[in-house]
Amino acid sequence: MSAYAQLNCDGFLGMAEGNDLNWGDNAGSFRGSDAYSASSVVNKGNYSEVKFFLGTGGNSNFHICLTRAEGFVRDLTDDYWLGERDFGSVNNAIASHRWVDRTACSALAV
């Protein structure tokens, strides 16, 4: 999967084949200021879903998933945590991700 700082997959932030449970640390594919900076994402992975989280650790209740079949989201400003507007926009709010089975997702990116 890869993430971008701008809409329409511009402003490359990073790419990951595996999990990265803290985009703001100095380990993994995403580092430092990458946390809370994504405005668009792509899933070209071998697994079905990539699950993005509001917090670090890859286990926050606030998540959204992107299927491989969907492929990409050009604009995260109209995607919301758990698919609910009340929980806030996913735009500039992703702090970690992990690969999961579809059954682990209750909200999908649109």
Side-chain angles (χ1 to χ4, degrees):
M1 63 76 46
S2 52
Y4 301 85
Q6 300 166 11
L7 304 180
N8 298 313
C9 301
D10 286 327
F12 183 73
L13 288 175
M15 182 172 58
E17 292 183 14
N19 300 333
D20 191 335
L21 303 182
N22 187 345
W23 284 18
D25 64 8
N26 289 323
S29 302
F30 295 90
R31 297 171 179 237
S33 63
D34 293 341
Y36 308 108
S37 296
S39 290
S40 52
V41 290
V42 175
N43 179 357
K44 291 186 179 180
N46 294 324
Y47 299 100
S48 179
E49 321 288 348
V50 60
K51 191 172 186 178
F52 299 99
F53 298 94
L54 176 60
T56 59
N59 58 7
S60 167
N61 287 333
F62 290 95
H63 73 274
I64 195 162
C65 292
L66 177 61
T67 68
R68 184 174 181 196
E70 185 177 15
F72 60 92
V73 176
R74 292 181 191 199
D75 182 354
L76 287 171
T77 61
D78 61 357
D79 282 281
Y80 301 94
W81 296 114
L82 300 176
E84 296 290 332
R85 200 176 202 86
D86 293 344
F87 297 127
S89 174
V90 176
N91 186 54
N92 294 326
I94 296 171
S96 61
H97 79 273
R98 76 171 47 194
W99 295 94
V100 298
D101 293 326
R102 187 175 180 94
T103 57
C105 296
S106 61
L108 298 177
V110 291

